[in-house]
Amino acid sequence: MAPSGPGSSARRRCRRVLYWIPVVFITLLLGWSYYAYAIQLCIVSMENTGEQVVCLMAYHLLFGMFVWSYWKTIFTLPMNPSKEFHLSYAEKELLEREPRGEAHQEVLRRAAKDLPIYTRTMSGAIRYCDRCQLIKPDRCHHCSVCDKCILKMDHHCPWVNNCVGFSNYKFFLLFLAYSLLYCLFIAATDLQYFIKFWTNGLPDTQAKFHIMFLFFAAAMFSVSLSSLFGYHCWLVSKNKSTLEAFRSPVFRHGTDKNGFSLGFSKNMRQVFGDEKKYWLLPIFSSLGDGCSFPTCLVNQDPEQPSTPAGLSSTAKNPENHQFPAKPLRESQSHLLTDSQSWTDSSTNPGKCKAGMSNPALTMENET
C-alpha cells in the first residue's frame, strides 16, 4: 500500500468535498422547485382557493416522501462483510509469506469451508479482496470510491454520494419512485399555466418565468427518471444488481444470469420485506443479512424452468446434484420453505463431497 502523507490526505479531503457537489446541486434544485411551485405557482398564480389547497397538500406529501427517501439513501451507511469473512492474523501471514499458488488455495479453502458462499470468480477461485483482506460474500464487491467491500453492491451513485447496496437499495428505489412522482405531479399541474405563459394569459410578473422553467425542468427529469426507475424495477423483478446485469454471477456449475432469481413475488420480498405496510416507507425492511442469499440452485425460478446454461448433466439428476452443502442464514431460509430443499451434507457425505470438489481454486483479485 502506498505511503500516506500530508499531500495525499489533502487530496483525499478535496475529493470528499468534490463528491458532495452533485448532492448540493440536487438540494439547491429541490429548494428552488419548492419556492417556484409552492410560492410562485400555488400562492401567487392560482386564483381558485380549492385548487390551491389540493395542490399544496398533494405537493407537500410528495415533497416530504422525496426528501425522506433521498436523505435515507445518502446517510444510510453501506453494510460491510461481518468478521467471520475476514481472515485471521495467522491466515493473513500465510498469504503474505507464501508464494502465490497451492498454499494460497489451501488457506482460502480452509477459511471458506464453513462460510455460506456459492459464487466464484470466472476462473473458479474463491472471491477474495486483497484491499480488505476478506473472503467476499455472495453479491459483495469492492467499491473503489469508498475503498471498502459493500454487501450486495449495486453501484456507487454520485447523486447521493454513497454506495447503493443491501442497506439502502430499498431507499434508493423509493427515492427514484417519489422523485418521478414529484416531477410528474409538477408537470401535470403546471401545464395549464405553462400554456397560459405562451398565450400571454399570465400577468407580467417574475412568477411567469418560474412557471416556465419549472415545467421544463419537471418534464426533462421525468423522462430520465422514468427510464432509470423502470430499469431498476426490472432488476428487482429478476433479483439482479446493476453489476450482475452487466456481469452474470458465476456458480460452481458455471455462469448463471438468473442464479439468484426465486420468482417475481419472492424477489420483491427480498428487497421490500414481508410486511406490505412498510413497502412505501423509507424504513429498512429488506430480508436477510446481506451475506447469504437463496439461489435457484435450491429453489428453481419458475420463470426459468429449464436447467441453467453450463449446468452439467449430472446436476440435472436429483440423486447426484451439486448443490452447495453450506446452510443459508436463518433470515433467508424461510423463502425456501415452500420449495424442494437440498440434501444436507451430514445425510450423505459421499455425494456432498463430490459436489464440494473444486480443483480450479486459484486466488484472483476482483474489484
Side-chain angles (χ1 to χ4, degrees), residues 347-360:
T347 59
N348 199 335
K351 294 176 183 177
C352 288
K353 183 177 180 181
M356 287 293 291
S357 61
N358 190 3

Side-chain angles (χ1 to χ4, degrees), residues 117-138:
I117 52 174
Y118 307 147
T119 56
R120 296 290 184 264
T121 66
M122 292 298 294
S123 62
I126 290 178
R127 300 171 63 245
Y128 176 75
C129 179
D130 264 336
R131 296 280 297 178
C132 301
Q133 294 185 313
L134 56 82
I135 294 174
K136 295 180 183 179
D138 292 342

Side-chain angles (χ1 to χ4, degrees), residues 196-233:
K196 287 182 180 181
F197 172 86
W198 295 104
T199 57
N200 296 320
L202 289 178
D204 192 14
T205 62
Q206 65 171 351
K208 64 187 301 183
F209 297 101
H210 286 288
I211 290 171
M212 180 186 67
F213 289 115
L214 185 64
F215 179 82
F216 275 128
M220 179 184 65
F221 279 103
S222 295
V223 173
S224 58
L225 285 170
S226 60
S227 60
L228 184 60
F229 179 64
Y231 174 69
H232 278 277
C233 286

Side-chain angles (χ1 to χ4, degrees), residues 61-72:
L61 176 62
L62 291 174
F63 180 83
M65 297 304 294
F66 179 12
V67 172
W68 187 9
S69 57
Y70 189 47
W71 177 275
K72 293 284 287 186

Side-chain angles (χ1 to χ4, degrees), residues 109 112-121 123-126 138 249-256 295 297 309-312 315 322-326 352-361:
R109 285 195 194 99
K113 66 178 182 179
D114 296 323
L115 297 176
I117 52 174
Y118 307 147
T119 56
R120 296 290 184 264
T121 66
S123 62
I126 290 178
D138 292 342
V250 180
F251 297 87
R252 292 194 181 98
H253 66 266
T255 301
D256 189 349
T295 72
L297 299 178
L311 186 60
S312 63
Q322 296 187 17
F323 295 161
K326 302 183 181 69
C352 288
K353 183 177 180 181
M356 287 293 291
S357 61
N358 190 3
L361 280 177

Side-chain angles (χ1 to χ4, degrees), residues 231-289:
Y231 174 69
H232 278 277
C233 286
W234 176 79
L235 289 177
V236 171
S237 69
K238 296 297 182 180
N239 204 343
K240 295 181 180 180
S241 66
T242 299
L243 293 176
E244 290 165 351
F246 284 95
R247 185 172 64 182
S248 300
V250 180
F251 297 87
R252 292 194 181 98
H253 66 266
T255 301
D256 189 349
K257 64 180 181 179
N258 294 302
F260 291 106
S261 181
L262 305 175
F264 179 80
S265 176
K266 292 181 179 180
N267 293 343
M268 288 285 292
R269 285 165 54 196
Q270 274 202 8
V271 176
F272 292 97
D274 289 327
E275 300 190 55
K276 294 183 179 180
K277 62 183 179 181
Y278 295 125
W279 281 18
L280 299 180
L281 298 176
I283 299 172
F284 184 81
S285 58
S286 301
L287 299 181
D289 56 6

Side-chain angles (χ1 to χ4, degrees), residues 91-197:
E91 290 167 338
K92 292 178 184 177
E93 280 195 330
L94 283 175
L95 288 180
E96 293 175 357
R97 185 170 61 248
E98 298 293 336
R100 291 180 181 268
E102 184 60 30
H104 287 81
Q105 298 177 28
E106 186 60 32
V107 171
L108 294 178
R109 285 195 194 99
R110 289 199 303 266
K113 66 178 182 179
D114 296 323
L115 297 176
I117 52 174
Y118 307 147
T119 56
R120 296 290 184 264
T121 66
M122 292 298 294
S123 62
I126 290 178
R127 300 171 63 245
Y128 176 75
C129 179
D130 264 336
R131 296 280 297 178
C132 301
Q133 294 185 313
L134 56 82
I135 294 174
K136 295 180 183 179
D138 292 342
R139 316 185 80 174
C140 173
H141 297 274
H142 187 89
C143 175
S144 58
V145 179
C146 299
D147 196 25
K148 61 180 68 174
C149 285
I150 308 297
L151 293 181
K152 196 187 176 184
M153 180 178 172
D154 187 88
H155 68 290
H156 186 94
C157 181
W159 298 107
V160 300
N161 190 28
N162 199 3
C163 259
V164 177
F166 176 75
S167 62
N168 62 350
Y169 187 63
K170 176 191 172 184
F171 305 149
F172 177 74
L173 285 173
L174 293 179
F175 158 62
L176 294 179
Y178 287 123
S179 59
L180 176 59
L181 290 175
Y182 179 78
C183 292
L184 290 174
F185 175 80
I186 289 178
T189 54
D190 187 29
L191 178 60
Q192 59 175 317
Y193 298 93
F194 178 75
I195 295 174
K196 287 182 180 181
F197 172 86

